[in-house]
Amino acid sequence: MPRSPSSPAFWRSPLRGPWFTSVLGVVLLVGITVLFVTGLLSYAAYNPDLSPVNDQTPDKGLLGFYLFAWPTDPSWLYRLTQGTHVTLGIALIPVLLAKLWSVVPKLFALPPARSLTHALERLSLLLLVGGGLFEFTTGVLNVQLDYVFPGSFYPLHFYGAWVFFAAFLAHAVLKTPAALGNLRHGLPDRKGELVSPNPAEPTVSRRGALGVVGGGSLLLFGTTVGRGFDGPLRETALLAPHGGPEPGSGPGAFQINKTAAAVGIDARETSEDAWRLVVEGNGRTVRLGRAALLQLPLHSAALPIACVEGWSTSDQWWRGVRLRDLAALVGYEPDAAPDVLVESLQRHGAFRRSALRDNQVRDPRSLLALFVNGAALTPDHGYPARVIVPAAPGVLNTKWVARMTFGDL
């Protein structure tokens, strides 16, 4: 009995073979392509070329070639794209693990490089496996709000995605024709480098093994998808911090990431006597207390909050002052309102400042919200005032707003 993993006879599972690996590979080919595209859309949703405060991935260089002004219609756009990105990523985990298991003998094959071409192929395989595990691991940790990795999630996941997808693309170009050929030939596998020369007795068929993998993916899908969409599946979304039923009752009983206490918001500085909103732009400065804001025209909009972790709220009814009306206070025509830099009372942490593009400011549903669901904002939802913008990532909907500076950014 061979004792070394470098020996083909060491790996005795009768399931391994070109057909089994090809089925998993084709599923990953489609799934990872969708993940990459929705990941790029998520990055574009931050309008990272608008202002450095929005861009958590410095020195992106040519990797920013796809950027465009993120739209505000439909209002659930980011909810859909990022919900798809995270839910699909979680559902693909059993497929990825099964694919790695199916090709593990190749990782131990000796010699490590038979030629320059073979060495390059092994290097691309290392980047593919390492990049895939890195991207899926950091993604799952981010979804669970477990920031145990060193550095910021945004640049790590962004640059890791480019390394992984480059290796994935090269691998797909080399292997897809062979994989499709293996699928056309069907079962059984009688030869191939993944077929054991001394297979053990099977305990499950290859189709049965695929059923187990598919069942695992379906289970993860069913216990994840509801936290990004409305409907009965929200009750079954149990595998993430913001899954399951709404976290209570009342007008402010919907999900949040950061509480006022967690970011050091002092109730004394948000009191009506102390708090003032500073609006700047066009060489003018206006200071408004909450009572003064209530004297301005108020408007309502039903909008969700959707976050990069893939969770979202159902539509909440927000009421407040339109951002374009605030721009008008410092001399801008509402239909020509420019970009705005929004600053929070929060003093530390990512996105305590954020920038919104002019199309977001001009949208009539974009509000400096003072109320939600018929009641004043709670401290955890941003009292005394917060931004709410259709289709924007949650972190751009700044809470505890202290200053708004209008102008070209």
Side-chain angles (χ1 to χ4, degrees):
M1 179 68 65
R3 297 180 179 273
S4 171
S6 61
S7 171
F10 179 87
W11 307 97
R12 300 194 61 205
S13 173
L15 297 179
R16 290 191 179 93
W19 184 86
F20 186 73
T21 297
S22 297
V23 172
L24 298 171
V26 169
V27 173
L28 289 175
L29 175 64
V30 176
I32 289 176
T33 300
V34 174
L35 285 181
F36 187 70
V37 171
T38 52
L40 292 183
L41 290 175
S42 178
Y43 183 65
Y46 284 76
N47 286 320
D49 60 339
L50 175 62
S51 171
V53 300
N54 282 18
D55 194 356
Q56 300 293 314
T57 56
D59 303 321
K60 62 183 182 292
L62 294 177
L63 299 183
F65 69 92
Y66 52 83
L67 298 179
F68 56 92
W70 187 251
T72 57
D73 279 313
S75 62
W76 41 261
L77 178 60
Y78 189 72
R79 186 184 189 185
L80 173 64
T81 59
Q82 192 61 12
T84 299
H85 181 79
V86 171
T87 302
L88 179 60
I90 291 175
L92 283 177
I93 289 175
V95 184
L96 176 69
L97 295 178
K99 178 66 160 59
L100 294 178
W101 174 85
S102 74
V103 298
V104 70
K106 297 182 66 174
L107 302 180
F108 292 91
L110 295 177
R114 296 189 296 268
S115 64
L116 178 60
T117 302
H118 186 241
L120 292 175
E121 181 183 351
R122 294 298 295 272
L123 177 62
S124 69
L125 189 62
L126 177 64
L127 293 175
L128 179 67
V129 173
L133 291 175
F134 178 83
E135 285 299 288
F136 277 81
T137 300
T138 55
V140 169
L141 289 173
N142 182 64
V143 167
Q144 297 295 331
L145 307 179
D146 290 329
Y147 302 108
V148 297
F149 35 79
S152 171
F153 166 77
Y154 298 94
L156 288 173
H157 204 67
F158 177 81
Y159 292 117
W162 280 106
V163 172
F164 169 58
F165 194 74
F168 175 78
L169 186 61
H171 187 75
V173 169
L174 292 172
K175 299 297 184 180
T176 298
L180 295 177
N182 291 331
L183 295 181
R184 283 195 298 268
H185 295 152
L187 291 172
D189 292 325
R190 294 189 177 92
K191 60 181 180 178
E193 58 183 336
L194 295 175
V195 178
S196 174
N198 184 29
E201 286 297 318
T203 56
V204 64
S205 68
R206 288 190 178 96
R207 296 189 189 276
L210 289 177
V212 172
V213 174
S217 291
L218 187 61
L219 177 63
L220 290 176
F221 177 85
T223 52
T224 302
V225 66
R227 70 198 190 100
F229 305 95
D230 290 333
L233 285 178
R234 186 175 284 273
E235 299 290 325
T236 68
L238 306 175
L239 296 184
H242 296 299
E246 299 289 356
S249 59
F254 55 94
Q255 298 91 334
I256 58 170
N257 264 1
K258 292 185 288 190
T259 65
V263 298
I265 301 298
D266 191 329
R268 290 172 295 183
E269 61 186 336
T270 61
S271 67
E272 291 199 22
D273 292 336
W275 179 81
R276 294 294 182 270
L277 171 69
V278 179
V279 182
E280 295 182 315
N282 222 8
R284 306 180 188 179
T285 301
V286 176
R287 289 178 173 83
L288 301 163
R290 187 176 166 91
L293 286 169
L294 292 174
Q295 298 304 310
L296 298 175
L298 300 182
H299 301 270
S300 298
L303 298 172
I305 297 174
C307 282
V308 69
E309 296 93 0
W311 66 269
S312 66
T313 71
S314 53
D315 283 353
Q316 311 296 322
W317 274 100
W318 307 91
R319 187 164 178 80
V321 182
R322 286 174 172 167
L323 299 187
R324 65 186 191 181
D325 291 344
L326 292 172
L329 294 179
V330 288
Y332 293 101
E333 291 295 327
D335 292 337
D339 312 326
V340 65
L341 177 67
V342 184
E343 300 178 70
S344 173
L345 289 173
Q346 178 184 343
R347 294 172 180 83
H348 304 286
F351 296 103
R352 64 186 182 86
R353 298 190 298 162
S354 64
L356 299 172
R357 203 179 286 277
D358 55 3
N359 68 307
Q360 295 173 310
V361 175
R362 295 169 190 169
D363 192 296
R365 297 165 295 174
S366 296
L367 304 175
L368 180 71
L370 306 172
F371 302 91
V372 63
N373 298 326
L377 294 170
T378 65
D380 289 342
H381 283 300
Y383 181 88
R386 68 167 297 160
V387 166
I388 187 73
V389 174
V395 290
L396 300 186
N397 294 311
T398 308
K399 297 193 285 188
W400 313 293
V401 175
R403 181 182 299 269
M404 305 182 74
T405 305
F406 290 92
D408 294 332
L409 301 179

